[in-house]
């Protein structure tokens, strides 16, 4: 840990309008995560985990409260401002991989750099794909890759822009046991190697226990915030 | 920028063939526009390069009587080369039993000075100098079953055909359909005895001016100097402009057909883009998650939309240029000169620009959604993007589309009002079809189908399922039906009117140029042949001498005069009778059947439109010059005349008496019971009175029928571009929904549905859509035909039901066949195989 706060959430609230009236899915959630730390957000279905992840990563706007990411308050930024922060400081791994189906594995990994207008990132992308064990499948399209392989491409993509914080949403949710285990090793391995902050949303308590801190959500509020065993 | 282009290209990897198919929607519209525009350019080029050949001379002088010595001397004094010609319409007896009205022409001098005369054999034109030699237009020669060496009788002379006329400067095959040209030598023409006093003949003088002479200035000088000679003047430049203007109007109208196809195609492309974008929402969300700005993600898909338009436009422009090989053949009968093929870059870029521009405008509508894709979409697949909130840009695009339609219409028709009518008409048609589609979706959701078999219930339910293409199918099918049926109904209405002329007891055979001393004999011949004359009408030619106390020369010289020159100068062919005809109706004053005794002025009846042009009303006085004798008259009545009736109608009708003793010719009419009877009578008359011309109305009706059929075919050919576009859009629409249909089919197959049942479901769905689209398009066509018939053509609209029924059956069948073909393979494979392939 470096002692710097990378993510600071204060009194974060999210309410959706519904036919039956406003529905509050997050209610005044507050916490802070230090740079380089690993943290898991756990809770039963409907407890607000994914909503919280979306708000922390700047994918959505809060109804109340603030989110400071990498030193910047993102609630006041417009969509393009948040997109810039995501591109510069954030990496994502999703449960359902979210690769662009029309791009090869290598091209998928290169997208964040190309969006930034950076050329010459191909060596880094190739190295990352080598690192996740896909050095021989650079030119394969997602449809030709297994679920585990797709998730490894997604992981390489998440690290290619050297993010300061990595958000993982149920990264092993769609993978079988052995593949999931290998995936977890890769996530934590890369995280350690690159000193990235890791925020993990999961149902899997065993996986959560590998992080330094576990935040439990229940009915949209923080039920407990405890240090893990890792 | 490079990322945007790279990503736009990469993103199409899995769907390039499909996207290319979607882009085909605009191919035919662009092809029609490019082809028509290029042909227009080539025609204009041909007019420019053959300007003098169109007239055959630098200046053409026309008159209705022999040129005076003064005229000829003045024309010779110009220093140019002079040629003259005389043409008169007369009956030709082909010797093989056939007879036909022809334009008998003779030329003296070196005309044509420009352009070529083409005959078969090539030396036929030179052989006209031989005694009693004639050449006749090739088409008429073929129709009459004549050949070189055949004999034809014209007036009192029998001629030998020495060749067929293929090409002659300024000669239009279209006008020749009525009276084909037969050319003989001037001496031979005068020997026929057909140029009697009172006969209708056209006299032309042609001048080839010395190099550098100003034809326009000479025309003005001659017009002033020869004012009393009642001559018409046309320069080669004027003829070029007249033709150019006529072509511009024609091409403007025809181009609208191309634009209609293009707009329909653009709707098809936009609809395909809509489906494509829906499938790309996840990718957009991922890109947004990875840091792509709204502008970047929008630009990626805008590039794709533009690429789609460009691909379709390039194909269309290429096809359009090759269309030029076909279009000249369509115009062959209407254009009096050669059309050379040349690539028109202007047309090419017009087609490309219109294709890319219009498809881009329509494609913007679905693309705007890309701006509102939330990155949160990646976390929740069911997340609803912000597509509901009103989008000001969307309204701006709608406004731009409306403005584009207006601009296109206004530019093509050179009138912002007509452009507005075109755009509103198009928007209204689109709106009616889209509205009916909404109504169908609404009704399909609510209609009780409980009593129907399952397959029909499922098929009807498909009409309103989410992501259906009902509106697009309605638009493509409905618009195609609308256009074709309107054309068919309009043609049928016009033909019904024409054929109606031949019905009833009205005369159907008319004789003209009957001299006063021939009329009793004509009556006798007709009685002998068993078809007595029903009506004999005297015709007296006259000119206006004075109006309301001022001579026509004074009026013409008056700068403030607003009476058209032609109305003052023309030769009027008037009649006298005691009663109104059944085609006439008095709108002001009282029709006088007799000249009141002791009155200095005869009460005449004037036709309503002419009265307006001459600014005449009841009680106004006027003087006529009846072949040298002044006849004083006063307007006794104004009458409306139904000019569409094929009979002798007149601008001025006198009461019997005042024109007694004036040189008159007669027109006579009779009703024959059969073609044979008509032929027998014509033969008998031609034998004794070769100068008398006959017009068989049955023949004219058949001739017009042929012309209408040709024109209708040419327009149908162009309209077929819209219809074919409709079919392409239909196929695209079906293919767009194929992915979803495959999933449904797989599910139903998994649950045990038979292939037959899946086909029945599709059959039910396409039957409902085809039926309703055809009925709506057909309904619009019936309405349009009713309006066109009443307001434009002033005829009765034909009963539309048989046409409507045929259209509904054909369009429904087309929809079913297209739908089933485009969905081939959906139900033909085991569920697992399809799951692996498609999902």
């Amino acid at each position: 840990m470096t002692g710097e706060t990378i993510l600071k959430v204060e009194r974060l609230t999210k309410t959706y309008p519904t036919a039956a009236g406003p529905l509050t899915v997050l209610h005044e959630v507050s916490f802070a995560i230090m740079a380089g730390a690993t943290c898991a957000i756990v809770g039963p279905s409907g407890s607000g985990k994914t909503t919280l992840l979306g708000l922390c990563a700047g994918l959505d706007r809060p109804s109340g409260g603030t989110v400071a990411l990498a030193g910047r308050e993102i609630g006041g930024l417009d969509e393009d401002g948040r997109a810039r922060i995501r591109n510069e400081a954030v990496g994502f791994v999703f449960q359902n991989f979210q690769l662009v189906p029309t791009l090869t594995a290598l091209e998928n990994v290169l997208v964040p750099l190309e969006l930034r207008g950076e050329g010459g990132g191909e060596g880094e992308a190739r190295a990352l794909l080598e690192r996740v064990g896909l050095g021989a499948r650079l030119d394969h399209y997602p449809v030709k890759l297994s679920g585990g392989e797709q998730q490894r491409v997604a992981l390489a993509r998440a690290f290619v822009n050297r993010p300061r914080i990595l958000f993982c949403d149920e990264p092993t949710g769609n993978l079988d046991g052995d593949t999931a285990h290998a995936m977890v090793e890769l996530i934590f391995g890369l995280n350690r190697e690159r000193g990235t902050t890791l925020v993990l949303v999961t149902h899997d308590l065993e996986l959560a226990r590998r992080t330094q801190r576990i935040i439990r959500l229940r009915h949209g509020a923080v039920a407990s915030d405890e240090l893990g065993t890792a | 920028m490079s990322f945007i282009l790279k990503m736009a290209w990469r993103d199409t990897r899995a769907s390039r063939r499909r996207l290319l198919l979607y882009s085909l929607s605009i191919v035919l519209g662009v092809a029609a526009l490019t082809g028509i525009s290029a042909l227009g350019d080539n025609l204009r080029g041909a007019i420019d390069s053959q300007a003098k050949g169109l007239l055959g001379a630098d200046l053409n002088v026309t008159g209705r009587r022999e040129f005076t010595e003064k005229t000829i001397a003045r024309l010779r004094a110009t220093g140019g080369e002079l040629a003259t010609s005389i043409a008169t319409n007369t009956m030709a007896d082909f010797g093989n039993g056939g007879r036909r009205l022809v334009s008998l022409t003779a030329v003296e001098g070196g005309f044509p000075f420009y352009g070529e005369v083409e005959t078969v054999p090539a030396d036929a034109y030179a052989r006209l100098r031989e005694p009693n030699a004639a050449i006749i237009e090739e088409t008429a020669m073929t129709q009459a079953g004549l050949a070189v060496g055949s004999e034809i009788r014209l007036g009192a002379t029998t001629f030998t055909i020495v060749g067929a006329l293929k090409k002659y400067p300024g000669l239009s095959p279209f006008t020749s359909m009525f009276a084909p040209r037969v050319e003989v030598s001037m001496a031979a023409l005068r020997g026929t005895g057909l140029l009697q006093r009172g006969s209708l003949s056209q006299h032309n003088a042609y001048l080839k001016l010395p190099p550098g002479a100003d034809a326009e200035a000479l025309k003005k000088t001659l017009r002033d100097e020869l004012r009393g000679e009642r001559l018409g003047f046309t320069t080669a430049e004027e003829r070029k402009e007249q033709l150019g203007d006529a072509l511009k109007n024609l091409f403007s109208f025809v181009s609208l057909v191309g634009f209609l196809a293009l707009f329909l195609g653009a709707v098809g492309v936009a609809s395909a883009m809509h489906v494509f974008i829906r499938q790309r929402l996840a990718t957009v969300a991922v890109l947004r998650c990875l840091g792509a700005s709204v502008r970047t993600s929008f630009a990626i898909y805008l590039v794709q939309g533009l690429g789609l338009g460009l691909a379709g436009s390039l194909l269309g422009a290429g096809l359009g240029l090759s269309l030029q090989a076909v279009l000249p053949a369509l115009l062959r009968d209407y254009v009096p000169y050669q059309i050379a093929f040349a690539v028109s870059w202007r047309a090419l870029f017009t087609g490309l620009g219109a294709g890319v521009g219009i498809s881009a405008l329509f494609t913007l509508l679905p693309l705007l959604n890309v701006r509102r894709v939330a990155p949160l979409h990646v976390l929740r697949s069911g997340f609803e993007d912000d597509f509901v909130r009103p989008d000001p840009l969307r309204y701006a695009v709608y406004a731009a589309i409306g403005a584009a339609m207006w601009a296109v219409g206004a530019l093509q028709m050179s009138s912002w009002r007509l452009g507005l009518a075109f755009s509103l008409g198009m928007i209204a048609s689109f709106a009616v079809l889209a509205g009916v589609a909404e109504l169908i979706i609404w009704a399909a959701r609510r209609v009780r189908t409980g009593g129907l078999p399952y397959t029909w219930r499922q098929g009807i339910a498909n009409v309103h399922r989410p992501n259906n293409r009902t509106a697009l199918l309605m638009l493509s099918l409905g618009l195609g039906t609308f256009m074709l049926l309107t054309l068919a109904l309009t043609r049928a209405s016009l033909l019904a009117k024409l054929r109606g002329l031949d019905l009833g007891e009205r005369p159907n055979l008319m004789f003209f140029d009957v001299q006063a001393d021939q009329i009793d004999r004509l009556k006798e011949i007709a009685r002998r042949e068993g078809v007595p004359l029903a009506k004999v009408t005297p015709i007296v030619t006259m000119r206006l001498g004075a109006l309301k106390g001022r001579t026509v020369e004074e009026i013409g010289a008056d700068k403030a005069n607003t009476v058209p020159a032609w109305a003052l100068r023309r030769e009027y062919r008037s009649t006298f009778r005691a009663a109104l005809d059944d085609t006439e109706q008095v709108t002001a004053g009282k029709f006088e059947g007799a000249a009141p005794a002791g009155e200095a002025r005869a009460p005449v009846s004037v036709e309503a439109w002419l009265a307006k042009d001459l600014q005449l009303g009841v009680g106004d006085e006027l003087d006529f010059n009846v072949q040298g004798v002044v006849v004083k008259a006063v307007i006794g009545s104004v009458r409306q005349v139904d000019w569409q009736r094929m009979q002798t109608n007149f601008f001025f009708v006198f009461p019997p008496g005042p024109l007694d003793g004036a040189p008159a010719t007669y027109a006579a009419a009779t009703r024959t019971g059969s073609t044979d009877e008509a032929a027998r009578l014509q033969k008998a008359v031609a034998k004794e009175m070769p100068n008398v011309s006959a017009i068989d109305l049955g023949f004219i009706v058949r001739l017009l029928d042929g012309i209408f059929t040709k024109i209708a075919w040419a327009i149908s050919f162009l309209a077929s571009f819209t219809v074919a576009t409709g079919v392409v859009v239909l196929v695209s629409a079906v293919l767009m929904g194929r992915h979803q249909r495959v999933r449904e089919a797989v599910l139903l197959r998994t649950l045990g549905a038979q292939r037959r049942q899946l086909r029945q479901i599709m059959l039910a769905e396409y039957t409902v859509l085809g039926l309703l689209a055809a009925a709506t398009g057909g309904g619009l066509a019936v309405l349009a035909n009713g309006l066109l018939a009443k307001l434009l053509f002033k005829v009765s609209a034909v009963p539309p039901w048989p046409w409507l029924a045929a259209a509904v059956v054909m369009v429904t069948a087309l929809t079913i066949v297209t739908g089933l073909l485009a969905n081939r393979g959906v139900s033909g494979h085991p569920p697992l195989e399809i799951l692996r392939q498609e999902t």
Side-chain angles (χ1 to χ4, degrees), chain B residues 37-280:
Chain B
S37 183
L39 181 67
D41 285 353
N42 284 346
L43 281 173
R44 275 186 287 276
I47 292 173
D48 284 344
S49 66
Q50 300 169 46
K52 288 184 176 174
L54 295 172
L55 195 63
D58 294 309
L59 182 66
N60 171 213
V61 185
T62 55
R64 304 294 294 178
R65 56 183 184 182
E66 291 269 4
F67 293 119
T68 60
E69 281 179 17
K70 178 187 168 190
T71 304
I72 294 292
R74 180 65 190 89
L75 294 178
R76 285 199 197 288
T78 60
E81 199 176 332
L82 179 68
T84 57
S85 80
I86 302 175
T88 184
N89 283 352
T90 188
M91 293 303 287
D93 183 341
F94 295 137
N96 57 4
R99 253 166 307 281
R100 184 167 182 184
L101 190 71
V102 297
S103 171
L104 178 60
T105 311
V107 176
E108 207 165 40
F111 183 81
F113 302 119
Y114 308 105
E116 295 166 35
V117 177
E118 200 180 314
T119 58
V120 178
D123 65 343
Y125 201 65
R127 288 183 60 196
L128 277 181
R129 284 190 291 267
E130 294 172 13
N132 294 344
I135 53 175
I136 178 168
E137 270 186 56
E138 193 179 34
T139 322
M141 193 160 145
T142 315
Q143 282 170 356
L146 301 174
V148 171
S150 298
E151 292 191 337
I152 57 168
R153 195 169 171 78
L154 297 156
T157 315
T158 300
F159 289 84
T160 304
I161 296 175
V162 295
L165 189 59
K166 275 178 83 89
K167 196 178 145 197
Y168 198 88
L171 186 68
S172 158
F174 185 72
T175 51
S176 302
M177 281 182 198
F178 289 97
R181 183 182 180 107
V182 174
E183 188 156 335
V184 298
S185 69
M186 189 62 87
L189 171 61
R190 293 193 186 280
T192 58
L194 292 168
L195 299 176
Q196 298 178 23
R197 189 177 171 81
S199 298
L200 272 180
S201 54
Q202 166 100 22
H203 298 260
N204 282 282
Y206 299 98
L207 272 174
K208 181 188 180 189
L209 299 176
D214 182 346
E216 193 57 40
L218 178 63
K219 175 189 150 180
K220 283 189 181 130
T221 312
L222 289 176
R223 174 168 278 168
D224 286 342
E225 290 179 17
L226 300 171
R227 188 165 290 281
E229 302 287 308
R230 299 178 188 276
L231 301 170
F233 300 86
T234 311
T235 62
E237 189 63 25
E238 273 178 320
R239 175 62 57 87
K240 184 181 118 181
E241 280 166 19
Q242 285 162 3
L243 265 170
D245 286 350
L247 276 176
K248 186 168 176 264
N249 291 338
L250 172 73
F251 276 83
S252 296
F253 171 74
V254 169
S255 296
L256 287 180
V257 180
F259 270 109
L260 197 59
L262 182 57
F263 279 119
L264 178 62
V267 172
V269 171
S271 189
M273 206 60 194
H274 177 77
V275 174
F276 183 70
I277 292 290
R278 284 192 82 87
Q279 292 164 357
R280 287 295 184 274

Side-chain angles (χ1 to χ4, degrees), chain A residues 51 79-80 86 107 114, chain B residues 6 13 288 290 294 380:
Chain A
T51 304
E79 178 47 44
D80 282 347
R86 285 198 295 271
E107 288 168 348
E114 290 189 306
Chain B
K6 218 158 36 178
R13 271 176 185 152
R288 299 292 295 281
L290 298 177
V294 171
R380 299 180 190 278

